[in-house]
Structures are given as structure tokens and as C-alpha cells.
Amino acid sequence: AQAAAGAAPPYRVGPGDVVEIAVEGRADLSRLPTVQTNGHVFLPRAGEVAVSGLTTGEIAARLQPLLAGEDLPAPRVSVRVRDYQSQFVWVRGAVQRPGRKPLREGTRLVDALLDAGGFQAGASGEVTVERTSGAFADGSREVRSRFGGESPTPEELEQLGLPLAPGDVVTASVQLWVVVAGAVRSPGRRPFEDGLTVSRAVEASGGPATGASDRVVIRRAGADIEADLGDIRDGKATDVVLAPGDEVTVRSRRL
């Protein structure tokens, strides 16, 4: 996420946005128009003006000569977006309020997650941002981040600052699990993450208990997979990569 962050792109106005146009000292020329489907706004004296695809600064620069007159040779124009309604991102998965969220000036990942009400209780903390149009600063089309608790680390704060673009899809993953049972010190459910192996799952469960053998059985969708922890440690066998829902049982030694 750090490599893909980059700078937030400037917001470009589009149809549906409500823009506030203020002309200093001339309330009669100031307006609050909605950008129409053709990308134009109508203003007194200036008439129909194309603004779609422009930043607020570019709109102000375009309007200044159009609003000038004998009574106002050098108009001072300021423009800001009052209501963002032209561009959106999607937030889905394990959040409180999934759905389409408006993209505002400088919207970042944290803003989209807050708009969605934050994580649900069953969220894993892993968030994927998919860029449907274009790519991130590092050339990738997808960025993954993981957030571990209520107090973000400096690295997590940087990841939360990822600038979003129109059409981005933010997915908060549901926490998946594996079960480690049998002759281990702390049997029970363990969080699943990509690349989790049988030896790491056993280690996370406190390691083999007294009387444990090296034999492990992995139950997966009705099929049993056998592994030997001793062979894995010695490099004689490949560590088995687990899948969500696997049940790992460490066998006891036979007396």
C-alpha cells in the first residue's frame, strides 16, 4: 500500500455535482448551480459554460473573463464543490453500511471505510482496493492492507491514507478460520491468512504437546491429507498450505 499511495489526484467536477460560484462583491453574479448532464452550468452574463472535467481552480480561471464587464473589469471568482454527486467508489464485504459512496476532494481509504460505518464484528482487518480504471502509482491494479486493532500503527496510518479514484472497489474481508486439535498445547480455532501452513498453525497453537507424534491429519471437505512434521522440519517434505475451514489434528504417539 505504501508504494501505491502517491499523491491524491485533484478532484474534477462532473454532472450532478453542485458547485458554489462566488464573485467577490457581486452577489448578483454568484450562483449555486448543478452541473448538468451535458457538463455545463448556466450563469448570468456568462451563459452556458462547460465545466465537466475541470478542477475548481480551472473553472474559476475560465469564468473570470466571461464575467468581466465595464462594471467589473477584473472579477475575483472562487469556486468550490458544495455537493459531490458525480463520482463514486464502492465499499463491500464486512462493513456496517456497504454500497456506493461519493468520491470527494482528497477522498482516501479511511474516508470510504468511515462512510461505510467501519468494520463489522466478523471482519478480518484485511482490506483490498481494486482500481477499475487505470492503475496505482506503482503500476498495480490491486492493493491489500491489513489493520490489526483500534490504535493504528504508523504503517497502518499510511495505508489508510491511500488516495482513492473514481470507480475504486474497496472490499473488507470476513475473518476465515482453521481449527487445530489433538496433541497441541493450545487447541482451538486460529485465524486463517493466505500462505498459512500446517507447521505454522501448529506453532501458533503452542506447538506439539507432551506425547505428540509428528503425524498430522488435515481434514478438508471430506478428504484427509496426511503430513509429517518431522519430515517438514528436516526438509524432506513440503509444508502443506492450508485452506479456510481446514481441521488440523496432531496425533499422539502410540504407547
Side-chain angles (χ1 to χ4, degrees):
Q2 296 173 20
Y11 185 84
R12 297 191 175 275
V13 166
D17 286 337
V18 179
V19 292
E20 182 178 356
I21 300 170
V23 183
E24 186 177 307
R26 294 296 299 268
D28 59 317
L29 296 178
S30 302
R31 288 293 187 274
L32 194 67
T34 299
V35 182
Q36 302 303 305
T37 54
N38 62 1
H40 292 66
V41 294
F42 179 82
L43 297 171
R45 184 177 291 188
E48 290 276 345
V49 182
V51 297
S52 184
L54 302 180
T55 67
T56 53
E58 291 169 344
I59 294 172
R62 176 168 292 187
L63 291 177
Q64 284 172 351
L66 299 176
L67 295 174
E70 292 183 1
D71 59 334
L72 191 66
R76 300 185 63 165
V77 182
S78 62
V79 180
R80 73 182 185 95
V81 180
R82 173 72 71 87
D83 191 12
Y84 294 88
Q85 292 295 329
S86 70
Q87 300 166 48
F88 301 90
V89 297
W90 291 90
V91 185
R92 62 187 185 182
V95 292
Q96 301 289 345
R97 297 188 298 273
R100 193 177 71 167
K101 308 299 175 184
L103 183 76
R104 305 177 182 89
E105 179 84 40
T107 293
R108 296 178 181 268
L109 176 57
V110 63
D111 304 310
L113 292 173
L114 289 174
D115 278 352
F119 293 130
Q120 291 179 349
S124 67
E126 182 175 275
V127 176
T128 302
V129 182
E130 178 188 359
R131 182 135 298 172
T132 60
S133 178
F136 291 100
D138 62 356
S140 65
R141 299 290 296 273
E142 184 177 284
V143 170
R144 289 190 178 188
S145 305
R146 178 174 286 275
F147 306 106
E150 295 182 358
S151 299
T153 65
E155 181 181 3
E156 289 173 343
L157 286 173
E158 187 170 356
Q159 293 171 345
L160 286 167
L162 178 70
L164 299 183
D168 280 357
V169 179
V170 179
T171 304
S173 300
V174 175
Q175 181 62 67
L176 302 174
W177 305 91
V178 296
V179 174
V180 182
V184 292
R185 298 183 186 277
S186 300
R189 197 169 63 164
R190 297 285 175 261
F192 172 82
E193 58 184 36
D194 288 342
L196 179 65
T197 62
V198 65
S199 65
R200 284 175 52 202
V202 171
E203 182 181 350
S205 298
T210 302
S213 71
D214 286 333
R215 293 182 56 246
V216 177
V217 177
I218 303 158
R219 292 186 173 87
R220 177 182 300 170
D224 289 351
I225 303 171
E226 295 192 1
D228 189 293
L229 294 175
D231 288 346
I232 293 172
R233 285 194 300 268
D234 295 339
K236 298 178 181 178
T238 302
D239 207 350
V240 179
V241 178
L242 299 178
D246 281 355
E247 181 177 332
V248 177
T249 302
V250 179
R251 299 295 193 189
S252 299
R253 289 196 300 266
R254 293 181 180 180
L255 299 178

